[in-house]
Amino acid sequence: MQTRDNLQNKIDQWHIKHQSSFDFTIYKQFLQKINYLLPEPTDFSIQVDNVDDEIAIIAAQQLVVPISSARFALNAINVRWRSLYDALYVSNVIANKDKTAIDSSYNPVRAQFAVQWANDFLDKTIPSADSSYSQLKSINTQQNKLEFTLANGNHTQLSNIQAFVGITEIILKEYRQNYLATSIAPLNHQVV
């Protein structure tokens, strides 16, 4: 932290001294002189063992968070995969015209199309044993088991119970050599 503070102090002083004129070349030389900008290193490689495919093979953003915080873990998943509802709502998967047009405010008709598309997608990729995601009232996880409560009061589970990995509030399934993560949000959660 001391090195960081020293560098920041030098940079602040440089900006005060040069506030009337800025020359990028001189500024870059200054940053190199104080070792804020370092020369590019030569190419290198490292060898590691026992790294999950999620990190080693599948390219995407990575965010390390404490697993003890469900909110942080869910945010990390959203950084990696984004919300399916949000992605559908803002993309051209749903026609951007007439009643489903995106404008400056929330469009409930467009949101309903996003929910229907997502339900159809989940019905195909992580189907329940005998219902549609559109019929779900609640989802419960207990003792590493996933149970769906339907609007009619009946209960069901995934058609492939192995698709549930057991992470609280998240269903994971390998799908086309990637993992499909479905996070469970409250039913009154507004899609925006």
Side-chain angles (χ1 to χ4, degrees):
M1 291 300 292
Q2 185 63 44
T3 300
R4 181 176 177 256
D5 289 342
N6 289 339
L7 287 172
Q8 187 62 57
N9 187 39
K10 290 176 183 178
I11 292 168
D12 291 345
Q13 293 303 314
W14 190 93
H15 282 287
I16 290 169
K17 184 177 177 182
H18 296 91
Q19 62 184 326
S20 61
S21 64
F22 180 82
D23 182 320
F24 180 76
T25 304
I26 293 171
Y27 183 58
K28 184 176 177 182
Q29 289 170 351
F30 163 73
L31 294 175
Q32 290 169 332
K33 180 181 176 184
I34 66 169
N35 290 325
Y36 184 83
L37 290 179
L38 300 173
E40 189 171 324
T42 59
D43 289 345
F44 64 94
S45 64
I46 59 174
Q47 180 63 41
V48 294
D49 296 321
N50 302 320
V51 178
D52 290 343
D53 286 348
E54 184 65 31
I55 303 298
I57 295 172
I58 302 169
Q61 304 93 332
Q62 304 295 333
L63 183 60
V64 178
V65 297
I67 195 67
S68 59
S69 171
R71 181 175 60 87
F72 288 161
L74 189 56
N75 287 344
I77 288 168
N78 282 332
V79 164
R80 174 80 185 190
W81 289 290
R82 294 217 27 172
S83 160
L84 179 57
Y85 291 140
D86 290 345
L88 291 167
Y89 186 89
V90 301
S91 74
N92 64 356
V93 171
I94 299 167
N96 188 17
K97 62 181 182 178
D98 302 327
K99 291 183 179 182
T100 59
I102 299 174
D103 58 24
S104 60
S105 62
Y106 172 72
N107 180 341
V109 174
R110 186 172 183 82
Q112 191 56 46
F113 273 79
V115 169
Q116 185 58 51
W117 195 101
N119 286 340
D120 293 344
F121 176 76
L122 293 172
D123 286 343
K124 292 173 190 168
T125 57
I126 311 176
S128 72
D130 47 20
S131 186
S132 168
Y133 280 82
S134 63
Q135 300 301 310
L136 260 59
K137 179 179 177 186
S138 65
I139 301 174
N140 301 304
T141 57
Q142 292 182 357
Q143 299 174 345
N144 220 22
K145 292 182 181 178
L146 186 69
E147 179 185 79
F148 300 129
T149 302
L150 305 176
N152 65 8
N154 291 339
H155 299 275
T156 189
Q157 60 187 7
L158 292 174
S159 63
N160 174 7
I161 60 173
Q162 300 302 315
F164 178 60
V165 177
I167 300 173
T168 304
E169 298 189 34
I170 297 167
I171 306 165
L172 286 174
K173 179 184 190 274
E174 191 168 351
Y175 177 69
R176 295 186 182 166
Q177 297 180 333
N178 287 300
Y179 282 93
L180 174 65
T182 306
S183 65
I184 313 307
L187 289 176
N188 62 355
H189 177 73
Q190 185 174 355
V191 179
V192 290

